[in-house]
Amino acid sequence: MPAFSAMQRLVITIAVLASFVTFLDGTVVTVALPAIREELGGGIATQQWVVDAYLITLSALILLAGSLSDAYGRVRIMRIGLIAFGVASAAVAAAPEPLTLIIARALQGAAGALLVPSSLALIMATMRGELQSRAIGVWTAFTTGAQIAGPLLGGLFVDLLSWRWVFVINVVPIGITLFLLARLQLPDHARGVRVDWWSGILCAVGLGAVVFALIEQPNLGWGSPAIWVPGIAGVAMFVGFLVRQRQSPDPLMPLSLFGARNFAWGNLATLFIYAALSLNGFVIGVYLQEGAGLPATAAGLASLPITILMILLSSQAGTWAGRLGPRLFMTVGPLLMAAGALLLLTVAPEFSYWWQVLPSMIVLGLGLSLTVAPLTSAVLGAIDENRSGIASAVNNAISRVAGLIVVAMLSTIVGGTLDLDGFHSAAWVTAALMAAGGIVSWIGIRKTAFAEPAPTE
């Protein structure tokens, strides 16, 4: 088995650290939402906005960021994103009331959008074949682990210090990554690619308007102009975005990418799987505190088995997928996670973590470990390295949009209240989405040979 060179190990470390804070801050607030509501006020709609404000800008601008990464250089865009993310994190930590917090979270998501595509593009530019699959497995283990570990860290800070400190601590990985970037001797220059700013605006505003309608609909009703006007306008803008992608000579989301079979089907599987993951993470973080009465740290610890299994198994799953192809793993993994979600139906008024939640977490962790690295490898391995920045941006945008929409629909899914019945409803929906991801993967994914390594720029 070929070993990573010193430069490739440095690239993987930078890619993991740069993406770590982005993924962590996407989920760290879920277990802190009750504490945020207690300190700053607001109901379930405010809790949804604290999560979705971050996801709106991250989802919508990640496409623009992928284009910027390809146009102006991965290292340069990553450096800008790291600095901006640090500043926005400080603003989140200092927020005195909900509106300021929501705005700061949106700015944080915008900065985070610059980090994910540029980090994956660095891996795609310096590795190919089995090495690339292994590197993506390592990246996936730590970044997905960050998503799962977010509630645990949030719980620790809520119980021991304050939810605000989890954002202040971002300065540590950001500082380390900036130091390592200065040591990375990798040619990085502008390529003269035209950036379609109007497409970025259409995507961002369109998504924001649709999410506003979905979140506020339970409060105002579909008959309110404050709901259907932005809803219709948002859909129209997003349709306009898609039309512009077909007509633009330099689209943010080249529809030609979807001509690659594994890219198209892999992104459809991504939509289902990450919607399920986001829904499951939100309801577990909140229900275990507000419904089962656990302290924040215990609620965060609930998902620790998933993190451990991801770190132990994801890299190996990426290696297996590089040899055998991703189809089997992308089918079995989501179906395992569907079974794990159904195990949450055993949660009862007489609550027991060990018998009602832990079995689900173990099965979910096994399924997730089998799924994520092969999924990422299948999607990005189907696209030429020269377009790796935009390809990774599209895949990550789709995963964030999936979470964005399902959190926006939370009130509808749980019936307005996240009580035990609402928790069980969320488990059924999570299982259905996971099963759909597995079925889509079996139908559409094929084993694809990787291209030979492209020369570095």
Side-chain angles (χ1 to χ4, degrees):
M1 181 182 296
F4 294 118
S5 68
M7 187 271 287
Q8 288 171 334
R9 288 195 296 271
L10 180 59
V11 164
I12 293 170
T13 302
I14 290 170
V16 166
L17 286 172
S19 300
F20 187 89
V21 290
T22 304
F23 285 86
L24 178 71
D25 282 37
T27 60
V28 73
V29 298
T30 55
V31 78
L33 289 173
I36 292 173
R37 184 176 68 175
E38 182 178 345
E39 182 175 340
L40 302 183
I44 190 170
T46 298
Q47 292 179 318
Q48 288 172 277
W49 274 116
V50 170
V51 175
D52 270 357
Y54 182 85
L55 291 176
I56 286 172
T57 51
L58 180 66
S59 306
L61 299 180
I62 205 168
L63 291 174
L64 186 62
S67 184
L68 291 171
S69 174
D70 287 340
Y72 298 112
R74 293 134 186 172
V75 173
R76 180 181 293 115
I77 293 301
M78 184 181 291
R79 186 175 288 113
I80 293 171
L82 287 166
I83 295 170
F85 198 91
V87 173
S89 295
V92 172
E97 38 79 32
L99 180 59
T100 302
L101 174 62
I102 290 167
I103 293 171
R105 285 282 288 169
L107 294 174
Q108 194 184 32
L114 298 176
L115 299 178
V116 177
S118 56
S119 65
L120 267 176
L122 280 177
I123 291 177
M124 302 300 290
T126 53
M127 284 160 265
R128 217 59 180 167
E130 190 176 327
L131 273 179
Q132 185 190 96
S133 292
R134 287 172 56 204
I136 290 175
V138 173
W139 181 89
T140 299
F142 283 95
T143 54
T144 306
Q147 288 181 279
I148 306 300
L152 170 58
L153 288 178
L156 287 170
F157 277 97
V158 167
D159 286 341
L160 300 179
L161 293 169
S162 165
W163 61 267
R164 298 176 186 274
W165 276 96
V166 77
F167 299 102
V168 176
I169 206 68
N170 282 338
V171 69
V172 175
I174 288 173
I176 294 172
T177 311
L178 286 170
F179 172 76
L180 294 177
L181 271 178
R183 297 183 57 196
L184 182 63
Q185 301 299 316
L186 188 67
D188 192 54
H189 56 267
R191 307 184 200 180
V193 177
R194 178 179 174 271
V195 178
D196 187 354
W197 297 96
W198 280 110
S199 289
I201 293 171
L202 284 172
C203 185
V205 178
L207 276 177
V210 169
V211 168
F212 173 85
L214 290 173
I215 289 179
E216 298 298 333
Q217 181 273 327
N219 298 326
L220 302 177
W222 287 116
S224 171
I227 296 298
W228 59 261
V229 170
I232 292 174
V235 171
M237 286 183 182
F238 196 72
V239 170
F241 165 77
L242 294 177
V243 171
R244 187 174 176 87
Q245 302 321 289
R246 182 174 293 277
Q247 298 174 346
S248 173
D250 299 291
L252 285 186
M253 187 176 72
L255 299 184
S256 61
L257 291 175
F258 292 90
R261 182 185 181 105
N262 278 7
F263 186 83
W265 285 92
N267 276 299
L268 183 57
T270 295
L271 185 72
F272 289 119
I273 292 167
Y274 277 86
L277 287 174
S278 296
L279 175 61
N280 191 63
F282 189 106
V283 298
I284 285 179
V286 175
Y287 177 79
L288 291 187
Q289 292 179 79
E290 296 186 347
L294 297 183
T297 301
L301 280 169
S303 58
L304 183 60
I306 300 179
T307 306
I308 294 172
L309 289 169
M310 283 293 302
I311 293 173
L312 292 177
L313 301 179
S314 279
S315 182
Q316 186 61 55
T319 301
W320 290 336
R323 295 175 184 171
L324 305 176
R327 185 189 187 197
L328 177 64
F329 303 94
M330 290 174 59
T331 301
V332 173
L335 293 179
L336 265 179
M337 287 189 282
L342 291 177
L343 287 175
L344 290 173
L345 295 174
T346 62
V347 173
E350 299 77 24
F351 180 77
S352 168
Y353 170 78
W354 302 106
W355 299 107
Q356 298 171 3
V357 178
L358 180 59
S360 171
M361 297 298 102
I362 293 173
V363 176
L364 282 166
L366 290 172
L368 193 61
S369 300
L370 290 178
T371 302
V372 182
L375 171 60
T376 306
S377 296
V379 170
L380 299 188
I383 302 300
D384 182 78
E385 182 272 326
N386 290 329
R387 297 203 290 177
S388 60
I390 190 60
S392 63
V394 170
N395 182 243
N396 277 280
I398 288 173
S399 66
R400 304 310 144 216
V401 167
L404 173 71
I405 292 174
V406 79
V407 171
M409 297 178 65
L410 180 68
S411 291
T412 301
I413 292 171
V414 303
T417 305
L418 191 47
D419 54 12
L420 183 59
D421 289 338
F423 183 79
H424 286 165
S425 296
W428 279 110
V429 173
T430 300
L433 289 169
M434 288 296 188
I439 293 169
V440 162
S441 298
W442 179 257
I443 293 171
I445 297 298
R446 296 293 179 267
K447 182 175 182 178
T448 304
F450 289 96
E452 290 301 313
T456 57
E457 300 171 311

